[in-house]
Amino acid sequence: MAKRSATPVIARRRAKAVTLPRNVPHRFLRLLAASPKIARRRQRQRQRSLIAVPSSFRPPLGNSEKPRCAIQSRTPSPTHEAETPQKPKRPEPPHEESPDVAAAAAAGKYWAHRHSLFTLYDRGVRMDAEGWYSATPESIAAAQAARAAPAGLVVDAFAGVGGNSIQFAARGCYVIAVEIDPCKVQLARHNARIYGVEDMIEFVVGDFFRLAPSLKV
């Protein structure tokens, strides 16, 4: 049954098939006939383009490619590191600024308020780095001194550069100015000389907490 049913199908396909003329060659047939020749021609061109490379030839290594033996020889072994440990670096001491540099830095920040600290600053008032921000403004020091009775005895426990001591002395009080830093005592004495009250102030270099029991005012 299968052979009988297949014969009409083959007959139909043969009937529908297009028959080409014998005398006129078709382009598709030409391409089919010429394809083996084209393949052989391309194969010959490839063989000519190939250059015989000798077996002893080795391509040069780039910068990123290095021989492994050199890398392994340079890397120290763990046993070698254990035998020669690296010495820890000593921490460098902190850089200490000189008093003049620190005073200049502080003066640059508080320079606009110099006349509020000392109205006679332009006559040669001197201050250190700490005095620029620890000195009492002159107006406040004068208001505090106005509460004291004239010709009284006043103890300035932390005189500093002499801001409060000068105003109490200008009020007419005799002042005992105590300061632990001898450099600040020199600055305070210089500033009191500018205000003309050096004779009204007695400067004492020492710790007020130790001198307080012996002071009577």
Side-chain angles (χ1 to χ4, degrees):
M1 294 295 291
K3 292 181 180 180
R4 292 180 182 179
S5 60
T7 51
V9 175
I10 295 171
R12 292 174 188 174
R13 290 180 180 177
R14 289 178 179 177
K16 292 181 180 181
V18 178
T19 56
L20 297 174
R22 296 180 180 179
N23 297 330
V24 181
H26 196 264
R27 186 176 181 182
F28 180 70
L29 297 177
R30 289 181 181 178
L31 292 174
L32 290 177
S35 59
K37 297 180 180 180
I38 295 172
R40 286 193 297 270
R41 189 182 302 170
R42 289 180 179 177
Q43 188 174 3
R44 291 174 184 174
Q45 291 177 358
R46 290 176 183 175
Q47 292 177 356
R48 292 175 183 176
S49 61
L50 291 176
I51 302 173
V53 179
S55 59
S56 61
F57 176 76
R58 294 182 181 179
L61 297 175
N63 295 331
S64 60
E65 297 179 0
K66 297 181 180 180
R68 295 182 180 179
C69 58
I71 298 174
Q72 292 177 0
S73 61
R74 291 180 183 179
T75 53
S77 60
T79 57
H80 182 68
E81 292 181 357
E83 293 176 358
T84 57
Q86 295 181 356
K87 296 181 180 180
K89 296 182 179 180
R90 296 181 180 178
E92 297 181 357
H95 179 67
E96 297 181 358
E97 295 182 351
S98 61
D100 297 337
V101 175
K109 184 177 181 180
Y110 298 97
W111 180 255
H113 306 285
R114 62 190 184 279
H115 293 104
S116 64
L117 299 176
F118 293 95
T119 55
L120 302 180
Y121 180 84
D122 296 336
R123 295 188 182 182
V125 174
R126 298 176 184 175
M127 287 186 289
D128 59 351
E130 187 178 354
W132 279 99
Y133 59 84
S134 63
T136 305
E138 187 169 325
S139 59
I140 298 175
Q144 294 175 352
R147 300 179 181 180
L153 183 60
V154 179
V155 175
D156 190 355
F158 308 99
V161 293
N164 293 95
S165 300
I166 291 172
Q167 295 304 317
F168 278 107
R171 174 69 174 170
C173 301
Y174 187 80
V175 182
I176 300 175
V178 182
E179 176 58 43
I180 195 172
D181 189 359
C183 296
K184 286 185 174 61
V185 171
Q186 294 179 2
L187 297 174
R189 183 179 285 108
H190 172 79
N191 297 336
R193 190 181 304 114
I194 292 175
Y195 277 83
V197 293
E198 184 181 3
D199 298 336
M200 299 294 294
I201 304 174
E202 181 179 355
F203 294 96
V204 179
V205 179
D207 189 0
F208 172 76
F209 296 102
R210 294 183 179 181
L211 298 176
S214 60
L215 296 176
K216 294 181 182 180
V217 292

